[in-house]
Amino acid sequence: MRFYSQPVPEHEEVPLADGGEWERLVDQTPITPEHPGVYVLSLSRQSDPLVRHAQLVEICELVRAQGDQILGQEIRMLTRTHPRTLLGKGTCREVAERARACGATMIVLDAELSPSQMRSLEDLTGLSVADREGVILNVFLKHASTRRARVQVEIAQLEYLRPRIRGVGIDMDQQMGGVAGSRGPGETASELLARKLDGRLAELEKQQLKLHLAEQQQRRGRSQCRRIALVGYTNAGKTSLMNALTAEKLSARQRPFETLDTTSRSLSRHGQRVLLSDTVGFIRRLPERLLASFESTLAEIREAHLLTLVVDVNDYEWQSHLDTTTQMLERLGADKIRRFYVFNKADLLDHVPWDLLQERSQGFPFRLLSSHNQDAVKLLKQDLLDLVRQELASRTLFVPYSATTVMSKIYRDCRVLKSLPTPRGLRLDLQAEERILQQIKEELKCRKH
């Protein structure tokens, strides 16, 4: 089990998850920057061989995304689990022999291991062992580029690491000599590291609270805007679609969890502002601690007026990915928000299953397209704008030419459907939220008195 936590310039005032501190505590050499050779073991209960292969591909992509080289891989059916080692001693030894034969120094299991299971497997195989959650946390940490994302990921990583301290290094149960004022006599290296991690976690949680308050203020500033959130499985093409809809150039590389921070851009050029947000991708068996850490980021989904579910229909498991996304929306409490389905990457399909798309969209509107098709993207953009504006009220108001402040508010917060000039002012047909139209009417009344 290894973590590749490295500081970035903007993150200097916030301590990282370990930063190599435990190696200095037990007088070991730091982890070298070279990544280990990895043997990937995909455990599956699925009878469909194509599904098993797709699951193997997914865990391999995650391992590569954290920077490791895969030297060997295999799929093993998991018919029953052993409490102590998950796989059974004989199977563990077989896997360890194959891993050593190909030169691997680490085994990655596509499963969630308890701290005791991880220690038992490392003792039994003599190799480092990592599980699915540890790999996902490393990928998140590697792709976190902003202060908020790094704090959120490192809190999750510390909570994961805390009960696994005994498996971090060699001789972690060795007693350390007592020094007055620093630690009690007989304190083990693992106890000392646990105390260090607890203190660091407390500091990170304070920093997260500050960032959460700042994020709340930003969301309040956007409260008068209509908001659309792009959601979906990781690598479904959300960021590519975001770039096509808003003419942005956000990073859209084809790798898991390329996007961790919610990015919002304006979808409408004038009138009632409509914001489009690109959110973190989902994945099956996403660690619960990551959901808790990304609470403020995922709040953007719950507060959206429209959810656009992006699905890669070229993926063999796209229906399973759609089910995972739907389940995640239920866990987040966002399952009641209106939806629009975008079945993406249509240019890679040999056959279009229209009946299946109709069924999986559950009565909500949908489009089948490629984000590289500009005409299809324009039609999608208009669909989204029309849907998010359906609940807006319409009014006709007379605004004097002298009411410049009111006129600025109208063109900022409302959609002007029609403008008719008169000698004394403009007669405007407006579309906006009822409360905004009421505010404008009150301001116009105040001007008369």
Side-chain angles (χ1 to χ4, degrees):
M1 180 182 65
R2 299 191 182 189
F3 294 91
Y4 311 115
S5 179
Q6 298 294 331
V8 295
E10 70 164 9
H11 199 63
E12 289 174 351
E13 64 189 63
V14 181
L16 298 180
D18 62 32
E21 180 67 20
W22 69 265
E23 291 103 340
R24 291 191 292 274
L25 291 174
V26 296
D27 195 26
Q28 294 183 14
T29 55
I31 294 175
T32 57
E34 289 80 11
H35 300 295
V38 170
Y39 189 85
V40 177
L41 178 61
S42 178
L43 304 176
S44 178
R45 299 180 186 271
Q46 298 292 329
S47 58
D48 187 341
L50 293 177
V51 173
R52 293 200 300 268
H53 176 72
Q55 292 175 351
L56 174 64
V57 170
E58 181 178 273
I59 186 63
C60 286
E61 287 178 352
L62 288 169
V63 171
R64 292 189 186 97
Q66 75 171 356
D68 289 341
Q69 179 185 5
I70 297 176
L71 300 180
Q73 59 192 43
E74 69 172 282
I75 302 172
R76 185 171 287 269
M77 290 294 292
L78 191 63
T79 54
R80 69 187 186 96
T81 59
H82 295 258
R84 187 166 178 266
T85 58
L86 189 68
L87 299 173
K89 292 183 179 180
T91 302
C92 291
R93 292 192 178 100
E94 290 176 13
V95 172
E97 287 176 6
R98 284 193 286 273
R100 286 196 187 89
C102 63
T105 58
M106 174 182 284
I107 299 174
V108 172
L109 280 77
D110 188 16
E112 288 78 26
L113 300 173
S114 68
S116 62
Q117 286 175 332
M118 187 172 290
R119 287 194 291 269
S120 296
L121 283 169
E122 289 183 337
D123 292 341
L124 189 61
T125 62
L127 299 172
S128 295
V129 174
D131 66 353
R132 180 184 180 86
E133 183 174 359
V135 171
I136 290 176
L137 287 169
N138 278 333
V139 174
F140 265 65
L141 184 63
K142 186 169 183 178
H143 292 179
S145 58
T146 66
R147 181 185 298 272
R148 181 180 62 181
R150 291 195 70 87
V151 169
Q152 290 173 146
V153 175
E154 288 182 31
I155 286 176
Q157 197 177 51
L158 275 173
E159 292 173 345
Y160 174 83
L161 180 61
R162 177 66 172 79
R164 292 168 170 80
I165 288 174
R166 285 188 59 199
V168 171
I170 303 171
D171 295 332
M172 290 302 289
D173 289 328
Q174 175 185 341
Q175 289 186 337
M176 310 293 287
V179 178
S182 64
R183 57 183 180 270
E187 188 173 31
T188 64
S190 60
E191 291 170 340
L192 177 58
L193 178 56
R195 202 154 44 81
K196 292 280 187 179
L197 294 187
D198 289 341
R200 197 162 297 182
L201 181 59
E203 292 181 34
L204 286 169
E205 287 175 341
K206 289 179 184 177
Q207 184 71 10
Q208 186 187 40
L209 178 59
K210 293 179 183 178
L211 295 169
H212 177 63
L213 294 175
E215 176 67 16
Q216 280 186 322
Q217 182 115 15
Q218 290 177 357
R219 288 205 302 273
R220 279 196 294 269
R222 300 194 297 261
S223 60
Q224 294 186 351
C225 303
R226 307 295 288 178
R227 283 179 280 175
I228 303 172
L230 296 175
V231 297
Y233 208 79
T234 184
N235 273 352
K238 298 184 298 300
T239 306
S240 296
L241 189 60
M242 173 90 165
N243 289 337
L245 287 167
T246 61
E248 284 289 334
K249 295 182 179 179
L250 303 173
S251 176
R253 284 178 288 182
Q254 189 74 8
R255 61 179 187 177
F257 305 116
E258 175 67 11
T259 299
L260 290 185
D261 282 296
T262 299
T263 304
S264 299
R265 295 291 184 270
S266 179
L267 192 61
S268 57
R269 294 186 177 181
H270 51 77
Q272 172 74 32
R273 285 192 71 197
V274 177
L275 292 181
L276 182 68
S277 298
D278 183 19
T279 62
V280 61
F282 299 137
I283 197 169
R284 60 173 157 251
R285 308 205 307 270
L286 186 67
E288 191 70 35
R289 69 186 88 246
L290 272 174
L291 279 181
S293 295
F294 277 74
E295 173 66 25
S296 61
T297 301
L298 295 172
E300 194 75 30
I301 295 176
R302 288 193 296 269
E303 296 174 6
H305 298 93
L306 177 67
L307 297 179
T308 302
L309 275 69
V310 184
V311 184
D312 176 6
V313 287
N314 185 57
D315 193 296
Y316 180 79
E317 279 200 291
W318 71 265
Q319 292 193 70
S320 174
H321 293 175
L322 180 55
D323 291 337
T324 298
T325 300
T326 304
Q327 292 164 10
M328 292 297 299
L329 292 177
E330 291 176 359
R331 290 170 65 183
L332 295 172
D335 51 313
K336 303 299 182 184
I337 302 174
R338 288 188 305 162
R339 302 178 188 176
F340 189 101
Y341 287 80
V342 176
F343 297 105
N344 194 22
K345 306 186 183 181
D347 53 325
L348 303 176
L349 285 180
D350 296 325
H351 168 70
V352 178
W354 288 109
D355 292 341
L356 184 57
L357 298 184
Q358 184 77 41
E359 177 188 342
R360 294 312 310 264
S361 58
Q362 302 178 354
F364 290 102
F366 72 90
R367 275 196 179 276
L368 174 68
L369 53 76
S370 166
S371 58
H372 302 298
N373 187 326
Q374 294 183 358
D375 293 333
V377 170
K378 286 180 182 178
L379 292 174
L380 172 64
K381 182 176 181 178
Q382 192 57 52
D383 286 343
L384 296 178
L385 289 173
D386 290 343
L387 272 174
V388 83
R389 287 167 172 164
Q390 277 182 359
E391 297 177 355
L392 301 179
S394 298
R395 294 285 186 279
T396 299
L397 297 175
F398 176 79
V399 184
Y401 290 123
S402 58
T404 55
T405 303
V406 177
M407 197 71 74
S408 297
K409 181 178 179 63
I410 287 173
Y411 280 98
R412 185 185 69 240
D413 298 335
C414 304
R415 187 184 182 197
V416 180
L417 303 176
K418 185 178 179 182
S419 176
L420 179 64
T422 69
R424 294 185 299 108
L426 293 175
R427 188 170 299 279
L428 302 173
D429 290 345
L430 305 177
Q431 188 180 59
E433 293 182 31
E434 182 64 42
R435 60 182 181 82
I436 294 177
L437 293 173
Q438 193 61 36
Q439 290 173 3
I440 294 172
K441 288 175 68 176
E442 293 296 329
E443 291 182 27
L444 290 173
K445 283 182 182 179
C446 291
R447 287 184 55 84
K448 294 180 180 178
H449 297 298

